[in-house]
Amino acid sequence: MQSREGAYAVRLRGVSRLKSAMKQSIWAVGVLLAAGLVSCDKTDDNVGPNFIHTTDFNKDTTTWQTGIVDYNVQQEGIMEFSSKLTALPTDSTKKGLKLTSSNRSDDAFMYLTRKLTGLAPNQSYKIEFEVELASQYPASGVGVGGSPGGAVYLKAGASGTAPQKAKDTAGDWKLNWDKGAQSESGKDAVVLGNIGIEGDQYKYQLIKRNNQTKPFTAKTNDKGELWLLVGTDSGFEGVTTIYYTQVKAVLIKN
């Protein structure tokens, strides 16, 4: 039978091991926080020098703004652009950010954007994007001007200059970023792929796109600010309706 002193010694060793494990866990979390590689909720703008930013649209959209460009002012009333947080067609218990428009200009760019703050001023970052959305358009589908899935290109980008929508001399609404034309990337945005789904049925499913094989860099302004942008550049002359579910951006000092 174990003595009272022996049992007490066993308990002391157990407490010592527990304290040691807790110290190791706290140290590990501290390392992650110091590196800045901790997933941020989109409502937290103090994101540090290196970080992973994730937006889950099932929870909130308050820090994102939406818009549409690449059409003439005379087409203002027929583009039918709208955006709202609503139930997903793939799962009515969850929400997504729905963007829809009728591409009467054969070049419409629907986008969402938000600002990040607290970054290193005038710092270049390597950025890897991953975007999840619900699409119903087969990549091999046929449509006016192009495939409703294969000819609608998903892009993501970043810049230290705020994205602004303005009319040019021809009366066309343009973005002040170089996002590239349809299937082409630009200085401020990279093509992640298209919104085409597998198969030939027009039924919503979740898809993910990223730029793992396409390096992208962006530089903050002198205030340590950076704007993220995600959008679809369309060559399909019809209605496109998609639901964004998640946007992730990994930023590492370059």
Side-chain angles (χ1 to χ4, degrees):
M1 184 172 180
Q2 189 178 37
S3 68
R4 182 175 300 175
E5 291 79 4
Y8 179 70
V10 169
R11 287 198 297 272
L12 281 179
R13 287 196 294 272
V15 171
S16 178
R17 285 195 295 269
L18 178 59
K19 288 182 177 179
S20 177
M22 289 177 65
K23 287 180 179 179
Q24 291 177 355
S25 297
I26 292 171
W27 177 85
V29 172
V31 170
L32 287 174
L33 288 171
L37 296 174
V38 178
S39 179
C40 299
D41 183 84
K42 69 184 185 59
T43 59
D44 181 8
D45 287 331
N46 188 15
V47 292
N50 298 320
F51 71 103
I52 300 174
H53 171 80
T54 302
T55 290
D56 182 352
F57 289 107
N58 185 46
K59 297 177 181 178
D60 197 3
T61 62
T62 56
T63 56
W64 290 84
Q65 296 178 328
T66 61
I68 185 171
V69 290
D70 292 348
Y71 65 95
N72 192 270
V73 292
Q74 295 182 356
Q75 298 170 317
E76 196 78 60
I78 60 175
M79 298 301 289
E80 302 176 32
F81 172 74
S82 67
S83 63
K84 65 176 180 178
L85 185 67
T86 187
L88 290 174
T90 55
D91 184 348
S92 61
T93 65
K94 296 182 178 180
K95 294 180 180 180
L97 183 59
K98 177 183 177 182
L99 269 67
T100 185
S101 68
S102 181
N103 185 18
R104 300 300 181 90
S105 67
D106 189 28
D107 194 31
F109 182 73
M110 293 192 296
Y111 64 92
L112 52 152
T113 182
R114 66 149 292 167
K115 182 174 72 172
L116 301 178
T117 61
L119 300 172
N122 301 310
Q123 175 66 49
S124 179
Y125 287 88
K126 295 179 181 178
I127 307 178
E128 185 174 307
F129 298 98
E130 182 179 84
V131 179
E132 182 182 74
L133 59 89
S135 170
Q136 66 167 338
Y137 308 104
S140 58
V142 178
V144 178
S147 167
V152 179
Y153 304 95
L154 183 66
K155 296 182 176 182
S159 174
T161 300
Q164 300 287 340
K165 174 181 176 179
K167 287 183 288 186
D168 63 14
T169 56
D172 293 328
W173 287 108
K174 294 292 184 181
L175 201 65
N176 62 331
W177 284 23
D178 176 12
K179 59 178 179 55
Q182 296 191 4
S183 63
E184 298 178 352
S185 299
K187 179 178 68 70
D188 299 315
V190 62
V191 175
L192 307 186
N194 58 43
I195 64 167
I197 62 174
E198 296 182 357
D200 56 8
Q201 293 187 348
Y202 284 73
K203 184 177 180 180
Y204 277 101
Q205 60 181 259
L206 292 177
I207 60 174
K208 288 185 178 181
R209 300 289 186 263
N210 62 63
N211 66 311
Q212 287 182 350
T213 61
K214 301 175 182 178
F216 179 82
T217 62
K219 188 176 181 180
T220 60
N221 61 24
D222 57 6
K223 296 180 181 179
E225 299 171 332
L226 194 71
W227 280 262
L228 301 181
L229 180 141
V230 176
T232 48
D233 214 340
S234 181
F236 165 59
E237 298 178 47
V239 176
T240 295
T241 302
I242 55 177
Y243 299 75
Y244 288 98
T245 56
Q246 189 177 89
V247 175
K248 182 179 179 179
V250 179
L251 282 76
I252 304 296
K253 275 187 177 181
N254 195 7

